[in-house]
Amino acid sequence: MIQAKSVTYFYNEAELSPALKELNIDIASGEFVVIIGHNGSGKSTFAKLCNGIMHPTEGVILIDGMDTSHYDQIWEIRKTAGMVFQNPDNQIVATVVEEDVAFGPENLGIAPPEIRVRVDEALNSVDMYEHRRKPPHLLSGGQKQRIAIAGILAMKPKCIILDEPTAMLDPSGRKEVMETIMRLNKEEGITIVHITHFMDEAVHCDRVIVMEDGAKLLEGPPKTVFSKVEQLQSMGLDVPQVTLLAHQLRVQGVDIPDDIITVEELVEVLCPLL
C-alpha cells in the first residue's frame, strides 16, 4: 500500500541536516503500523509526504503504486490515503456533522444519492450516526476526531494516515478514537498508519516503526520493539507502563518474560508466583 524508497527530504535548501534521510518503509495492504519517535524524528514529515502535501527531495513514495510526485495523480492518491490530523477543529468545515462528512465526497463529484449512503455508512462506522444533525462545536474532543475520521471514510480510502490524532484528547477521547481505529482495521481491512507519542496505543498494532533523526532505527512487532526498554529510554522514548513495570521486576530478580506488553499478560505470569 505504501512504499518509501530511499526518501530524503529537506524543508529548505539552507538546511544542513535533512528531515528524512534515505528512508525505506514498506507498509502492506490491511496492515496496522504505528510510528513512534520523539519530536523532530521525522514522523509527521513522512505522513505529509505520503499524502502528497509535500514531495521528497530525493527518492520516491508510492501509494498503491501511484507516485506522489506526479501531480496528475494527486487527487487519486488522496482518495486512496486519507489524512487525519492532530486537531480535529482544523478538519471540520461545516456547521452540521453530516454536512461536514459529506464535504469530501461532494468535492469528488459523487452523485447526491451516493453521498447520502456514504455519509450514513461512515457515521455508523465511527459510531456517531445519532449525532449526525448536531453542530460539531457541541461535541467532545473524541467525538470531533471521530467525525474527522468519518469525513475521510466517506471518500472510501484504502488507507488512513493518522498524525497524532489523540494528542489533544483526554483519556476517554483517546479510548474512543483508538477503538474506532482498531475496528476499521480489523473489521473493514483499512490500512492504518498511526503516528503517536502514546506507547500504549501501539500495543495492539501489527508492527512498530521507531524513528530517530529522520531515519528508521527499530522495526518489528510490538513485543519485539518494546522488549528493548533500555534502548528506547536512551532515545528519550517511553514504553508501555506494563512493560516498564515488568522490566523493573526483572531487574529486581523476578523471573518473568521480557516481552510483556499488556496488563493481562503481566497478571498471567505474576499470579502463579504469588
Side-chain angles (χ1 to χ4, degrees), residues 14-170:
E15 281 187 327
L16 297 177
S17 180
L20 294 178
K21 306 172 187 174
E22 291 288 319
L23 184 66
N24 291 285
I25 290 178
D26 288 325
I27 296 173
S29 179
E31 194 174 12
F32 181 3
V33 174
V34 169
I35 301 177
I36 60 176
H38 55 71
N39 289 334
S41 61
K43 308 184 305 297
S44 293
T45 300
F46 174 67
K48 293 181 176 70
L49 289 170
C50 287
N51 196 243
I53 296 172
M54 305 183 305
H55 305 293
T57 306
E58 298 175 9
V60 174
I61 290 188
L62 302 176
I63 304 297
D64 201 20
M66 296 177 286
D67 190 333
T68 60
S69 64
H70 293 174
Y71 289 98
D72 60 333
Q73 295 183 315
I74 200 65
W75 294 114
E76 193 63 35
I77 287 169
R78 289 176 182 167
K79 282 168 56 181
T80 302
M83 187 96 170
V84 177
F85 297 96
Q86 183 179 116
N87 187 347
D89 289 327
N90 292 340
Q91 280 189 263
I92 294 175
V93 297
T95 56
V96 178
V97 163
E98 63 181 3
E99 292 177 1
D100 186 81
V101 177
F103 182 80
E106 285 174 348
N107 279 276
L108 295 176
I110 306 299
E114 174 64 14
I115 291 176
R116 178 74 267 169
V117 171
R118 290 192 183 198
V119 168
D120 290 348
E121 287 179 349
L123 288 171
N124 278 313
S125 290
V126 299
D127 199 23
M128 287 294 291
Y129 183 77
E130 64 185 83
H131 301 283
R132 64 192 180 282
R133 301 242 161 83
K134 288 185 179 179
H137 72 269
L138 296 181
L139 303 177
S140 69
Q143 289 173 327
K144 286 182 181 179
Q145 196 61 284
R146 284 151 66 193
I147 292 302
I149 294 172
I152 298 299
L153 287 176
M155 293 189 285
K156 300 284 188 182
K158 295 180 181 179
C159 171
I160 300 179
I161 302 162
L162 303 108
D163 189 6
E164 299 191 41
T166 62
M168 301 180 67
L169 305 181
D170 60 19

Side-chain angles (χ1 to χ4, degrees), residues 166-233:
T166 62
M168 301 180 67
L169 305 181
D170 60 19
S172 175
R174 282 179 54 205
K175 184 173 182 289
E176 290 176 10
V177 171
M178 287 309 301
E179 287 176 348
T180 298
I181 291 170
M182 288 189 287
R183 185 171 65 250
L184 292 173
N185 175 251
K186 302 306 178 189
E187 296 180 8
E188 301 190 25
I190 295 174
T191 306
I192 299 291
V193 180
H194 178 47
I195 295 168
T196 184
H197 280 294
F198 298 109
M199 302 302 133
D200 290 333
E201 295 179 359
V203 166
H204 299 293
C205 73
D206 298 318
R207 181 160 50 114
V208 178
I209 294 173
V210 183
M211 293 185 64
E212 184 175 41
D213 294 331
K216 182 174 64 176
L217 195 65
L218 290 172
E219 179 179 20
K223 281 181 174 289
T224 302
V225 171
F226 290 128
S227 67
K228 305 179 187 300
V229 175
E230 293 177 359
Q231 182 178 357
L232 292 171
Q233 288 180 327

Side-chain angles (χ1 to χ4, degrees), residues 249-250 253-257 269 273:
L249 288 170
R250 280 196 307 277
V254 180
D255 185 19
I256 57 176
V269 298
L273 301 178

